[in-house]
Amino acid sequence: MSQRSDSGRQAGAPPRAGMRWLEHLEEGLIIFLMAAMTIVTFVQVVARYVFNYSFVWALEITGVMFAWLIFSGMSYGVRVGAHIGVDALVRTLSRRAARVVGAVAAALCIVYALIVTVGGYQYVKKMYDVGILMQDVPIEQWIPRLILPLGFALLALRFGQVLYRLATGKEAHLLGDEAEEALKLKDEQSSPEERQ
């Protein structure tokens, strides 16, 4: 198993300068959305229970930010190998067979992501043509829904990167290994006397 850096890149892998801006954008968007959701929700709770006042737009904006967090976070999860899955069968296979199964899985995920990208684009285009506004915020509904095709296009790109790494014989992880991470965390937290 390879070690990962904090940014999710495989340890020892050369930095991908061409994709670094996208990685920073992805991470920055996730950080911003989590912080903004927390702040809006906190302010809404304080306003409601302390000042007996409510922002009508707070719930809708939080829902939109949560959707953007989900659809941008799924590609981030693929990039850092954080998605959960059942890999008991794959672990019994030889390295070569496991690589083939991983490549087939990544190819199927690319196909799925591209299908949803196209469908999401058609949906957003239809919302654009109709021109309906959001319920509590004066923004057309197609704008927050742009994340649907964008998120799945980014997901297809991330699975494409995994497929490329598998095809070129490099280390690639589709799934997180919770047991390995728990053991590593336990080792890091144990005192030096316990390790000996």
Side-chain angles (χ1 to χ4, degrees):
M1 289 283 156
S2 65
Q3 296 177 349
R4 297 174 186 282
S5 68
D6 289 335
S7 67
R9 197 175 297 112
Q10 301 271 337
R16 299 178 301 265
M19 296 300 288
R20 189 172 300 150
W21 69 270
L22 183 60
E23 291 177 3
H24 289 304
L25 178 66
E26 189 177 47
E27 291 168 355
L29 181 62
I30 290 169
I31 291 167
F32 168 77
L33 289 169
M34 290 178 71
M37 283 174 49
T38 303
I39 291 168
V40 169
T41 303
F42 175 76
V43 169
Q44 172 69 354
V45 168
V46 169
R48 180 178 292 164
Y49 292 107
V50 175
F51 300 107
N52 203 22
Y53 179 80
S54 180
F55 300 107
V56 295
W57 49 265
L59 182 61
E60 189 171 36
I61 288 294
T62 303
V64 167
M65 288 189 288
F66 190 60
W68 276 70
L69 180 65
I70 290 168
F71 286 112
S72 57
M74 63 186 179
S75 65
Y76 178 79
V78 170
R79 180 169 64 98
V80 300
H83 285 285
I84 61 170
V86 179
D87 62 351
L89 177 65
V90 175
R91 288 181 179 264
T92 63
L93 301 175
S94 68
R95 184 171 171 87
R96 178 177 160 87
R99 191 171 286 284
V100 169
V101 169
V104 169
L108 290 172
C109 289
I110 292 168
V111 169
Y112 171 75
L114 290 176
I115 289 170
V116 179
T117 300
V118 171
Y121 169 77
Q122 292 170 347
Y123 174 67
V124 169
K125 184 167 181 348
K126 179 84 63 186
M127 295 301 287
Y128 176 80
D129 292 341
V130 173
I132 300 172
L133 294 178
M134 293 175 62
Q135 189 171 357
D136 297 324
V137 181
I139 297 174
E140 290 192 18
Q141 286 192 12
W142 68 270
I143 295 171
R145 285 168 171 75
L146 272 174
I147 193 59
L148 183 62
L150 293 176
F152 275 95
L154 189 55
L155 182 66
L157 172 70
R158 296 299 183 199
F159 277 121
Q161 291 172 331
V162 169
L163 183 61
Y164 175 77
R165 285 195 306 267
L166 288 168
T168 57
K170 297 177 182 157
E171 191 71 27
H173 295 281
L174 282 171
L175 306 174
D177 191 342
E178 293 177 26
E180 180 181 329
E181 291 171 11
L183 290 172
K184 189 185 307 181
L185 182 63
K186 182 180 181 249
D187 286 344
E188 289 172 1
Q189 292 177 346
S190 64
S191 65
E193 296 84 32
E194 292 175 356
R195 283 187 233 156
Q196 292 176 349

